[in-house]
């Protein structure tokens, strides 16, 4: 692979060629302060909210890609030649280059003409800042006079306003410079009490805070005027485009190096302590932090703490299987990606701008499914936070804004699958932790004080919301959309300037129905029935919830079955979608995956028939496509799904998020070969050798891969922030490797390739540790002959919840 390789011992991906097919990024920070770092040092940072608290400016759809935001330059003071150790922004060819993306940090090293520069970016645990630990080294045989220039292009907080309201922005920029610290205080004089700072550990030999002074009126970041001249201008920004740049002059003997630290941070002052003097920023609360982390020794200690955090978090579940790529993803990269998606859902990446949406309700609830064993307390709080934006009728705001804790009123509700994800995520949390007290937590509706009710009631209203909104076939009404936001059956849009999801059009009544939500309802309410057996705080008994599920399953098996697979939906005119009756879009993966996981019609062969149809009609070498045949023309009855060219996004791509639902269904059927085959088709590490085709990062999942109808079949888009990460982790760990929690303990139920002789799972669960060895002497795909715990055979396949703080040896023999 010409772009890089995995270093499994270091838990890093090593990139050796800066011109990757797309910028390959990493995330730093895991709570309030978050940044993105590309393999060439680009990206941006924000505090809590990627729109309203953006620190670093980033130009989406820029050419060349990923330029601006952050930068480092090393200049030879005698020759005037300069380069960027990160390759960009200068884009000067390097003699040597290496980028190491690790867990919560990125290290990039570049060398040119005997001079090396190395930078490690990370967020010290618990801090609202990012550190750049820079080392400049003279690897030549002669003394060198060198200059180091830093660069941050500040965003003026509201990232949407920053790229649109120039008549205001060109007049508001304000900075202060004190010693080696640049303070960005735009709009601080008004309604803001927050500011950014860019500090340097060294005594500086110059600075700039005005972009045009640094770059030049007609130059770019690749050839900035200050680097051409070799001297900063000490510019002070008054409006226009504030930046932060330090100049540090270095005299290095052969073999000598020097460490310099840069800190980019965020702080909020108390409202009554904003100024230390009229118009002068109060810096009291950040001075200690700056002093602490400008010390390289303190920074090294913080970096070690970061590594210890990841050691601890990843240790909760580790595997050793016959497949190297599975181990690589489960033990490190998939678990790491899950943490990022838990933090951000779909709000901020190189594909999600962070400008127009918060954290998705359904998105975030699905993301929790994969991190419950790592972050049970944080998952618990996220579930409760999202329950606060549930509507009083049982629906939900479709998006949540972390900065305010409120729902996005512009988007509103009406996405009728949303409430069921609250049920599914809560049930999964209780299975993992045994903590039923979450059901008694008092939570408001619509963020409105005085509406508090136990979470158990919220779940009840979620069930009633779907149950009371059924159409002509007794299937759930789809609303604006179900899981697929681009299947818009109540929109009928002919106006290119309106949203497919929220456009309001006159229909006498909503009649469009979702088979998908029908399957989801059965899956979720059966989970609720199990939960009702564990506690008496739910409003109805287990048998009552089971009756709901049974009646919905009957409706799905009747109106949702097409003869060989599950239909997708019924449109406003009661015509089926995802049916052999259709010319295009005859079979969809979502409804077959969800109804399969709910095991609707399993006993009479419907689930197996559906999986056979998926394999015959939808499976490709790059994964399972969303539907076939793809739509070739726009159809206002279906909405946005038909607006994409065939093979892309929702119109017939491999929408990776849905693939694990098929894996899980195949595993439930005992088809281990099929389940694992599908897992490997979209596994990023398994696609590393085709990176020129795949294009996005080989260490994290992407949302989509272009389908067979597309000219660029196999090309991935929208990496990092996707529900694909959580569901693939659930599929491989809980259903293929087959170690999953239930209310009584850990179930072991493998569905694996027959040629696997043995594998091991290390699993921490409710205060105990289980070292599980699964043996497959008969080389079967599924089935368990016996389970032994500490040498004693137990009844069934559920390892009991011992919770004693001890380590227990578990032997599972398949057969």
């Amino acid at each position: 692979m010409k772009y890089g390789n995995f270093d499994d011992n270091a838990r890093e991906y090593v990139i050796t060629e800066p011109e990757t097919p797309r910028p390959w990024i990493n995330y730093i920070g895991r709570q309030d302060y978050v940044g993105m770092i590309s393999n060439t040092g680009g990206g941006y940072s924000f505090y809590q909210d990627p729109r309203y608290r953006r620190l670093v400016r980033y130009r989406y759809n820029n050419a060349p890609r990923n330029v601006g935001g952050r930068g480092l330059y090393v200049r030879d003071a005698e020759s005037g030649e300069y380069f960027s150790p990160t390759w960009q922004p200068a884009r000067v060819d390097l003699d040597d280059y290496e980028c190491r993306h690790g867990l919560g940090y990125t290290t990039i090293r570049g060398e040119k003409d005997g001079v090396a520069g190395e930078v490690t970016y990370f967020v010290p645990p618990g801090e609202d800042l990012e550190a750049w630990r820079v080392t400049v080294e003279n690897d030549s045989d002669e003394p060198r006079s060198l200059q180091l220039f830093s660069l941050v292009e500040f965003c003026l907080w509201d990232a949407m306003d920053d790229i649109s309201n120039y008549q205001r922005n060109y007049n508001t920029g304000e900075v202060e410079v004190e010693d080696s610290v640049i303070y960005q205080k735009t709009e601080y004089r008004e309604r803001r009490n927050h500011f950014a700072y860019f500090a340097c550990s060294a005594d500086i030999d110059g600075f700039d805070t005005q972009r045009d002074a640094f770059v030049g009126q007609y130059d770019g970041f690749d050839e900035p005027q200050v680097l051409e001249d070799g001297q900063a201008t000490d510019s002070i920004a008054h409006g226009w485009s504030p930046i932060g740049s330090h100049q540090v002059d270095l005299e290095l003997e052969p073999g000598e190096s020097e460490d310099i630290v840069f800190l980019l941070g965020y702080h909020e002052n108390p409202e009554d302590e904003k100024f230390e003097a009229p118009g002068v920023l109060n810096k009291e609360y950040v001075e200690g932090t700056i002093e602490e982390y400008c010390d390289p020794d303190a920074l090294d200690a913080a970096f070690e703490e970061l590594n210890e955090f990841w050691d601890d978090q990843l240790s909760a579940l580790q595997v050793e299987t016959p497949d190297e790529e599975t181990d690589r993803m489960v033990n490190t990269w998939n678990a790491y990606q899950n943490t990022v998606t838990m933090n951000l859902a779909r709000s901020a990446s190189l594909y999600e701008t962070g400008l127009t949406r918060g954290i998705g309700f359904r998105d975030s609830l699905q993301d929790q499914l994969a991190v419950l064993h790592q972050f049970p307390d944080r998952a618990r709080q996220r579930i409760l936070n999202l329950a606060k934006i549930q509507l009083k009728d049982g629906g939900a705001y479709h998006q949540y804004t972390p900065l305010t804790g409120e729902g996005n009123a512009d988007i509103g509700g009406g996405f009728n699958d949303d409430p069921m994800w609250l049920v599914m995520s809560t049930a999964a949390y209780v299975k993992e932790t045994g903590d039923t007290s979450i059901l008694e937590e008092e939570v408001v509706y619509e963020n409105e004080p005085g509406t508090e009710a136990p979470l158990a009631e919220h779940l009840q209203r979620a069930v009633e919301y779907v149950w009371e909104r059924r159409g002509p076939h007794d299937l759930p009404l789809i609303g604006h959309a179900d899981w697929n936001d681009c299947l818009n059956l109540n929109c009928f849009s002919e106006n290119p300037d309106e949203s497919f999801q929220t456009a309001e059009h006159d229909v006498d009544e909503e009649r469009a129905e979702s088979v998908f939500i029908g399957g989801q309802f059965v899956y979720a309410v059966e989970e609720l029935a199990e939960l009702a057996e564990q506690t008496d705080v739910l409003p109805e008994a287990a048998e009552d919830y089971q009756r709901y599920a049974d009646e919905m399953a009957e409706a799905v098996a009747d109106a949702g079955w097409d003869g060989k697979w599950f239909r997708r939906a019924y449109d406003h005119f009661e015509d089926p979608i995802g049916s052999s009756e259709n010319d295009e879009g005859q079979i969809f993966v979502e409804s077959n995956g969800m109804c399969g996981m709910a095991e609707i019609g399993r006993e009479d062969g419907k689930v197996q028939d559906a999986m056979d149809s998926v394999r015959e009609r939808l499976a490709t070498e790059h994964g399972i496509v969303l539907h076939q045949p793809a739509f070739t023309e726009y159809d206002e009855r279906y909405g946005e799904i038909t607006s994409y060219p065939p093979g892309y996004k929702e119109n017939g791509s491999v929408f990776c998020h849905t693939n694990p639902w098929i894996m899980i269904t195949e595993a439930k059927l005992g088809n281990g070969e099929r389940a694992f085959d599908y897992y490997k088709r979209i596994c990023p590490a398994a696609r590393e050798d085709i990176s020129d085709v795949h294009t996005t990062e080989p260490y994290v999942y992407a949302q989509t891969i272009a389908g067979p109808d597309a000219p660029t079949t196999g090309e991935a888009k929208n990496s990092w922030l996707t529900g694909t990460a959580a569901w693939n982790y659930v599929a491989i760990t809980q259903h293929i490797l087959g170690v999953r929690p239930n209310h009584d303990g850990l179930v072991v139920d493998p569905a694996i390739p027959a040629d696997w002789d043995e594998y091991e799972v290390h699993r921490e669960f409710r205060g105990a540790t289980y070292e599980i060895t699964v043996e497959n002497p008969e080389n079967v795909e599924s089935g368990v002959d016996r389970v032994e715990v500490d040498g004693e055979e137990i009844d069934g396949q559920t390892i009991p919840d011992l919770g004693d703080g001890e380590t227990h040896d578990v032997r599972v023999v398949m057969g």
Side-chain angles (χ1 to χ4, degrees):
M1 219 291 283
K2 65 182 179 182
Y3 299 108
N5 58 274
F6 287 93
D7 184 337
D8 293 326
N9 291 330
R11 297 185 309 206
E12 295 173 335
Y13 192 82
V14 184
I15 302 170
T16 54
E17 165 55 58
E19 294 184 75
T20 50
R22 296 281 185 273
W24 287 358
I25 72 164
N26 193 16
Y27 283 82
I28 57 173
R30 62 178 190 271
Q31 288 187 279
D32 289 337
Y33 188 102
V34 176
M36 273 163 276
I37 307 288
S38 78
N39 59 298
T40 57
Y44 60 89
S45 305
F46 60 90
Y47 175 82
Q48 288 191 346
D49 190 293
R51 173 174 173 177
Y52 292 108
R53 295 294 183 273
R54 186 80 67 94
L55 273 74
V56 176
R57 180 174 288 160
Y58 186 82
R59 294 169 181 81
Y60 283 90
N61 203 26
N62 197 22
R65 292 187 183 99
N66 199 37
V67 172
R70 304 181 186 87
L72 283 171
Y73 305 82
V74 176
R75 184 178 187 273
D76 187 305
E78 296 181 0
S79 69
E81 299 292 326
Y82 56 87
F83 68 97
S84 290
T86 55
W87 188 65
Q88 291 202 106
R91 296 194 296 132
V92 172
D93 288 342
L94 299 173
D95 298 331
D96 190 44
Y97 160 89
E98 181 180 84
C99 168
R100 286 181 169 265
H101 283 323
L103 306 183
Y105 68 90
T106 287
T107 298
I108 308 176
R109 177 183 174 87
E111 184 170 345
K112 181 72 174 176
D113 296 334
V115 175
E118 181 175 292
V119 54
T120 296
Y121 305 93
F122 74 102
V123 174
E127 300 293 347
D128 296 328
L129 63 90
E130 65 182 72
W132 307 2
R133 197 188 195 292
V134 180
T135 300
V136 179
E137 183 176 348
N138 178 8
D139 290 334
S140 71
D141 297 329
E142 300 177 355
R144 303 291 288 268
S145 297
L146 304 172
Q147 298 170 303
L148 176 66
F149 291 86
S150 65
L151 174 67
V152 164
E153 187 178 13
F154 293 116
C155 182
L156 303 186
W157 302 121
D158 181 341
M160 177 69 87
D161 195 74
D162 183 76
I163 61 172
S164 58
N165 193 5
Y166 300 115
Q167 61 84 26
R168 174 174 170 79
N169 296 341
Y170 284 164
N171 297 280
T172 59
E174 287 189 281
V175 300
E176 288 182 27
V177 180
E178 186 174 299
D179 298 325
S180 297
V181 186
I182 296 165
Y183 295 91
Q184 202 280 97
K185 61 175 189 176
T186 301
E187 296 185 341
Y188 186 79
R189 67 169 65 222
E190 309 163 35
R191 298 163 293 173
R192 300 184 185 276
N193 65 343
H194 50 265
F195 60 90
Y197 58 87
F198 190 35
C200 178
S201 63
D203 293 331
I204 59 176
D205 297 285
F207 65 86
D208 276 289
T209 68
Q210 181 59 269
R211 189 183 69 191
D212 287 349
F214 179 83
V215 175
Q217 290 288 349
Y218 297 99
D219 297 303
F221 291 106
D222 57 337
E223 296 181 337
Q225 190 61 51
V226 161
L227 270 294
E228 294 292 315
D229 295 342
Q231 182 60 50
T233 71
D234 295 350
S235 60
I236 297 293
H238 300 286
W240 297 110
S241 297
I243 65 165
S245 177
H246 309 89
Q247 176 184 333
V248 180
D249 294 345
L250 305 169
E251 297 292 335
L252 298 181
E253 295 296 319
E256 188 179 8
S257 65
E258 186 160 339
D259 296 331
I260 302 97
V261 174
F262 298 100
L263 305 175
L264 174 63
Y266 173 94
H267 183 71
E268 296 178 2
N269 272 334
E271 189 63 35
D272 58 349
E273 298 182 53
K274 288 179 64 170
F275 300 99
E276 66 178 40
V280 180
L281 187 73
N282 178 10
K283 310 171 184 69
E284 173 188 357
Y285 294 100
V286 299
E287 288 173 338
T289 301
I290 292 171
E291 181 179 2
E292 177 182 0
Y293 289 109
C294 276
D295 178 356
D297 291 338
L299 208 57
D300 289 345
F303 188 70
E304 182 61 29
E305 184 182 349
L306 177 69
N307 287 327
E308 289 173 358
F309 166 82
W310 282 107
D311 287 342
D312 180 62
Q313 294 305 317
L314 295 183
S315 68
L317 198 165
Q318 292 282 290
V319 304
E320 185 175 341
T321 76
D323 186 75
E324 179 183 55
E325 289 151 351
T326 297
D327 295 353
R328 182 172 285 151
M329 294 305 298
V330 171
N331 294 337
T332 303
W333 293 100
N334 196 174
Y336 178 51
Q337 185 179 6
N338 292 338
T339 305
V340 175
T341 57
M342 177 191 70
N343 291 337
L344 300 175
R346 315 295 172 263
S347 62
S349 70
L350 296 191
Y351 306 90
E352 297 283 3
T353 64
L355 302 181
T356 57
R357 61 178 292 173
I359 285 178
F361 186 86
R362 83 158 73 95
D363 297 332
S364 191
L365 287 167
Q366 290 176 90
D367 294 337
Q368 305 314 301
L369 301 175
V371 297
L372 295 169
H373 63 294
Q374 290 179 275
F375 305 102
D377 293 341
R378 290 191 63 196
R380 186 184 200 271
Q381 191 58 54
R382 177 60 65 83
I383 291 169
L384 294 173
N385 287 345
L386 290 168
K388 292 177 183 178
I389 65 166
Q390 188 179 20
L391 304 174
K392 295 168 189 173
D393 64 6
Y397 282 109
H398 196 48
Q399 293 174 6
Y400 164 80
T401 305
L403 195 63
T404 64
E406 297 178 352
N408 184 339
D410 292 336
I411 302 298
F415 296 77
N416 287 352
D417 65 309
D418 275 347
M420 288 297 95
W421 296 114
L422 182 63
V423 176
M424 293 166 68
S425 188
T426 302
Y429 167 80
V430 176
K431 281 185 174 181
E432 177 64 39
T433 63
D435 172 27
T436 58
S437 70
I438 190 175
L439 300 170
E440 301 177 73
E441 289 282 349
E442 296 282 326
V443 185
V444 298
Y445 291 97
E446 302 179 27
N447 269 104
E448 184 181 313
T451 63
E452 289 83 0
L455 180 63
E457 182 185 305
H458 284 255
L459 303 186
Q460 180 72 13
R461 290 198 191 184
V463 172
E464 292 170 355
Y465 178 88
V466 175
W467 187 254
E468 293 169 0
R469 288 165 175 77
R470 288 180 289 166
H473 299 88
D474 280 334
L475 296 170
L477 295 175
I478 197 169
H480 288 311
D482 55 16
W483 171 87
N484 188 341
D485 281 338
C486 298
L487 184 61
N488 316 118
L489 305 183
N490 293 300
C491 182
F492 305 103
S493 179
E494 296 180 350
N495 179 359
D497 299 321
E498 67 184 358
S499 164
F500 284 103
Q501 283 75 50
T502 59
E504 296 290 342
H505 287 276
D506 293 330
V507 292
D508 50 359
E509 62 175 329
E510 288 192 7
R511 294 197 298 272
E513 301 165 286
S514 169
V515 176
F516 172 86
I517 299 178
Q520 180 196 25
F521 182 90
V522 174
Y523 185 102
V525 175
E526 286 187 342
E527 292 282 328
L528 204 55
E530 286 187 22
L531 199 53
E533 293 177 349
Q534 306 299 313
T535 175
D536 60 2
V537 301
L538 286 163
E540 298 191 53
E543 54 267 27
D544 297 321
Y545 290 118
Q546 191 61 53
R547 278 196 294 270
Y548 285 124
D550 290 344
E551 188 170 332
M552 185 66 78
E554 185 177 345
V556 171
D558 181 15
W561 184 248
D562 197 63
K564 293 185 178 180
W565 58 79
F566 289 98
R567 293 174 173 175
R568 180 63 178 84
Y570 282 87
D571 68 15
H572 179 73
F573 307 101
E574 300 185 31
D575 294 325
I577 301 170
S579 168
S580 56
E581 297 178 22
N582 304 122
D583 293 328
E584 297 176 335
Q586 293 178 343
I587 175 172
F588 283 72
V589 67
E590 312 103 287
S591 50
N592 285 285
M594 188 57 70
C595 293
M597 288 198 300
E599 300 185 88
I600 297 172
R602 175 172 178 165
E603 292 182 358
D604 61 8
K606 285 186 172 65
V607 175
Q608 185 63 67
D609 287 347
M611 293 304 99
D612 291 344
S613 295
V614 166
R615 194 163 187 84
E616 178 186 347
R617 301 285 302 273
L618 299 179
T620 77
E621 64 177 310
H622 298 292
I624 304 167
V625 297
L626 202 61
H627 61 262
Q628 279 290 293
F631 296 103
T632 55
E633 295 180 357
Y634 174 65
D635 191 330
E636 67 174 20
R637 296 174 303 165
Y638 298 168
E640 187 174 356
I641 191 171
T642 61
S643 72
Y644 292 102
Y648 293 109
K649 204 69 164 64
E650 276 80 0
N651 189 13
S653 80
V654 177
F655 213 95
C656 300
H657 188 149
T658 63
N659 281 223
W661 300 341
I662 302 300
M663 299 171 204
I664 292 169
T665 301
E666 293 282 18
K668 285 187 171 188
L669 292 170
N671 301 327
E673 297 276 4
R674 283 189 179 187
F676 189 69
D677 172 40
Y678 291 142
Y679 174 76
K680 289 299 292 285
R681 293 190 196 199
I682 64 169
C683 175
R687 297 174 63 81
E688 183 188 24
D689 287 342
I690 59 166
S691 286
D692 277 325
V693 174
H694 186 75
T695 72
T696 62
E697 297 91 338
Y699 43 89
V700 291
Y701 286 97
Q703 181 196 64
T704 68
I705 299 172
D709 300 289
T712 58
T713 301
E715 177 189 51
K717 288 190 176 79
N718 301 9
S719 61
W720 272 101
L721 300 187
T722 166
T724 307
W727 275 110
N728 268 278
Y729 192 81
V730 170
I732 185 64
T733 61
Q734 297 187 18
H735 295 275
I736 297 174
L737 301 180
V739 179
R740 60 179 176 272
N742 71 7
H743 294 292
D744 300 321
L746 281 174
V747 177
V748 184
D749 187 21
I752 60 173
D755 62 359
W756 281 20
D757 296 323
E758 183 178 293
Y759 65 92
E760 297 177 1
V761 177
H762 166 98
R763 183 67 154 86
E764 297 173 10
F765 178 70
R766 299 188 193 175
T769 300
Y770 300 89
E771 300 291 354
I772 304 168
T773 300
V774 179
E775 302 172 7
N776 189 15
E778 303 298 325
N779 291 113
V780 296
E781 294 183 46
S782 60
V784 170
D785 178 63
R786 65 185 182 277
V787 178
E788 299 171 2
V789 179
D790 296 328
E792 297 291 329
E793 187 170 347
I794 64 171
D795 291 332
Q797 297 172 225
T798 301
I799 305 167
D801 174 16
L802 298 174
D804 55 7
E806 301 296 326
T807 297
H808 300 277
D809 291 321
V810 179
R811 179 173 179 246
V812 179
V813 181
M814 297 180 67

